[in-house]
Amino acid sequence: MATGLKKLLVAVIVTGVAIVVWQVWQKMQEPSVPDGIAFGNGRIEAVQTDISTKIAGRVDAILVQEGDLVEAGQIVASIETSQLRAKLLQARAAVASAESLVASAQAAIAQSQAQQVLAEQELARSKELVKKQLTSTEEYDTKVSQLAVAKANVAAAEAMLESRLRNVDASEATVLEIQTQIDDSTLVSPSKGRVLYRLTEPSEV
């Protein structure tokens, strides 16, 4: 009986020692981390986004520092745009000039159409006079020619109007292009994130 008790006691002691040794070994395998920090196995994936301008230019301002947390849509930098704004004023002036030429072409069409109406009326009168033998056929032929010239003038004026309308479209497209470049000169963050690198400084190109 005593022998069996001794064997049980030895087994309990051995088991206890084994448990203590295992716990100590487990503690030795764990990395040392500060309180409040959790650790574990796994993989963290992040998306890195490079922000740059579409056009070359001098940096006007950079509004963030490395390590700053930025929100989506937040302005982070801007490019100097004085030259682009001067070009924009010129382009808008070109639009105004093209629109004035359109108005001139419209007036020319109205004038040519009035001359055509007059030529048609004179030709009709000349035709009646020829029937009554009160005028010569040469005079009638002259009126026919005048009407043909008037119709040609209307067609030319209409073609000129179409050309000037296309010039307005081209000028407006130039304005839109320059305005887009100005808009693109303001750099915004596409998403929430932290600034990793600030690769340029104000006044650099």
Side-chain angles (χ1 to χ4, degrees):
M1 193 70 178
T3 302
L5 187 58
K6 286 180 181 180
K7 288 182 179 180
L8 179 60
L9 184 59
V10 169
V12 169
I13 292 172
V14 170
T15 302
V17 170
I19 290 173
V20 171
V21 170
W22 181 80
Q23 288 177 341
V24 171
W25 182 83
Q26 281 289 97
K27 287 288 185 183
M28 292 176 63
Q29 300 304 311
E30 294 178 358
S32 177
V33 294
D35 292 338
I37 302 297
F39 70 92
N41 294 327
R43 181 175 64 184
I44 297 177
E45 295 184 359
V47 176
Q48 181 172 324
T49 303
D50 296 328
I51 301 176
S52 60
T53 60
K54 291 183 180 180
I55 59 173
R58 188 175 301 279
V59 178
D60 183 43
I62 298 180
L63 307 177
V64 294
Q65 301 293 333
E66 291 183 359
D68 287 354
L69 182 66
V70 296
E71 299 292 334
Q74 179 179 337
I75 297 175
V76 297
S78 61
I79 302 297
E80 201 276 328
T81 58
S82 58
Q83 287 185 330
L84 286 174
R85 294 188 185 282
K87 289 181 179 179
L88 182 61
L89 291 176
Q90 292 177 342
R92 286 175 174 167
V95 170
S97 176
E99 288 175 342
S100 68
L101 291 177
V102 166
S104 175
Q106 290 171 334
I109 288 176
Q111 182 179 5
S112 298
Q113 289 173 337
Q115 291 174 346
Q116 179 179 335
V117 170
L118 178 61
E120 289 172 345
Q121 292 172 347
E122 290 181 347
L123 179 60
R125 284 193 293 267
S126 181
K127 187 176 182 180
E128 291 299 320
L129 292 174
V130 167
K131 287 180 180 179
K132 297 176 182 179
Q133 296 183 345
L134 296 176
T135 188
S136 64
T137 55
E138 290 81 2
E139 182 69 19
Y140 175 78
D141 292 339
T142 299
K143 299 301 181 184
V144 171
S145 177
Q146 289 175 348
L147 178 57
V149 170
K151 289 181 177 180
N153 288 340
V154 170
E158 290 174 343
M160 179 61 69
L161 174 61
E162 187 66 23
S163 174
R164 289 178 176 177
L165 287 172
R166 299 291 74 78
N167 287 340
V168 171
D169 293 340
S171 298
E172 289 176 343
T174 300
V175 169
L176 180 60
E177 178 184 6
I178 296 173
Q179 184 62 61
T180 300
Q181 291 176 344
I182 291 174
D183 294 341
D184 288 339
S185 295
T186 299
L187 303 183
V188 298
S189 174
S191 60
K192 183 177 181 179
R194 196 167 296 278
V195 178
L196 297 179
Y197 306 107
R198 173 171 160 158
L199 301 179
T200 189
E201 295 298 328
S203 298
E204 292 180 355
V205 176

